[in-house]
């Protein structure tokens, strides 16, 4: 089976995550875009075909996580993966309620994140037809 190429948008301060994921993304034929603020996330989503957004929890924090709601409102089918340095159940619960695809605690390791990205890309390729949050049977 030929794997389709996807575009991943990584939003974080610094480049820890993108440096970590870059070799894996290239090896699998995916493109990686990087931004470091919410304004650039929104600008990039308007101008590029993005399959998955991976965003550090510290970026939307200043907006009280409303940025996630805004992004999900504009791009309902875009899988959003939020990464956090530490496990904070209250924060995780608040963010999950925004309809994200996956919440990743960095200490759990990068393999789990790569699996989540692969699953999010697969969903993106299906045209968002399988949307776990809105699908009616």
């Amino acid at each position: 089976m030929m794997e389709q190429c996807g575009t991943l948008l990584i939003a974080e301060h610094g480049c820890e995550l993108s440096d970590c994921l870059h070799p894996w993304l290239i090896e699998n034929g995916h493109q990686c875009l990087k931004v470091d603020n919410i304004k650039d996330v929104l600008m990039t989503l308007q101008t590029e075909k993005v399959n998955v957004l991976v965003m550090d929890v510290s970026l939307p924090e200043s907006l009280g996580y409303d940025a996630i709601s805004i992004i999900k409102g504009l791009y309902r089918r875009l899988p959003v993966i939020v990464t956090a340095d530490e496990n904070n159940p209250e924060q995780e619960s608040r963010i999950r309620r925004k309809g994200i695809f996956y919440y990743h605690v960095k200490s759990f390791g990068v393999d789990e994140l790569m699996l989540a990205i692969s699953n999010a890309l697969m969903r993106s390729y299906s045209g968002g037809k399988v949307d776990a949050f809105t699908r009616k049977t």
Side-chain angles (χ1 to χ4, degrees):
M1 184 183 116
M2 172 77 179
E3 201 173 326
Q4 289 170 284
C5 298
T7 299
L8 190 72
L9 176 58
I10 297 179
E12 64 176 341
H13 297 294
C15 14
E16 179 190 340
L17 208 53
S18 52
D19 285 352
C20 182
L21 291 173
H22 198 257
W24 175 77
L25 291 167
I26 297 302
E27 188 180 303
N28 288 284
H30 303 304
Q31 185 184 359
C32 182
L33 304 171
K34 297 186 324 189
V35 296
D36 65 2
N37 62 68
I38 288 297
K39 187 172 138 269
D40 287 347
V41 167
L42 294 169
M43 297 288 286
T44 304
L45 289 174
Q46 286 175 15
T47 58
E48 302 282 340
K49 167 81 176 102
V50 174
N51 299 96
V52 179
L53 169 62
V54 178
M55 182 165 51
D56 187 88
V57 75
S58 65
L59 278 187
E61 210 164 16
S62 57
L63 296 171
Y65 308 117
D66 284 344
I68 298 168
S69 298
I70 292 165
I71 291 164
K72 290 302 291 177
L74 293 169
Y75 307 96
R76 192 172 62 84
R77 293 193 163 137
L78 175 70
V80 177
I81 295 172
V82 176
T83 64
D85 286 325
E86 57 199 41
N87 196 359
N88 176 333
E90 183 189 307
Q91 172 180 276
E92 179 177 352
S93 173
R94 284 193 12 236
I95 291 172
R96 281 187 183 279
R97 283 197 295 267
K98 304 285 185 190
I100 64 165
F101 183 79
Y102 182 69
Y103 182 89
H104 177 73
V105 178
K106 292 177 187 170
S107 62
F108 292 172
V110 77
D111 288 349
E112 199 175 283
L113 179 59
M114 289 189 287
L115 182 62
I117 291 169
S118 295
N119 289 339
L121 285 167
M122 293 295 249
R123 181 156 105 193
S124 178
Y125 299 149
S126 71
K129 288 180 181 55
V130 183
D131 193 330
F133 304 110
T134 60
R135 189 161 178 233
K136 306 276 186 274
T137 49

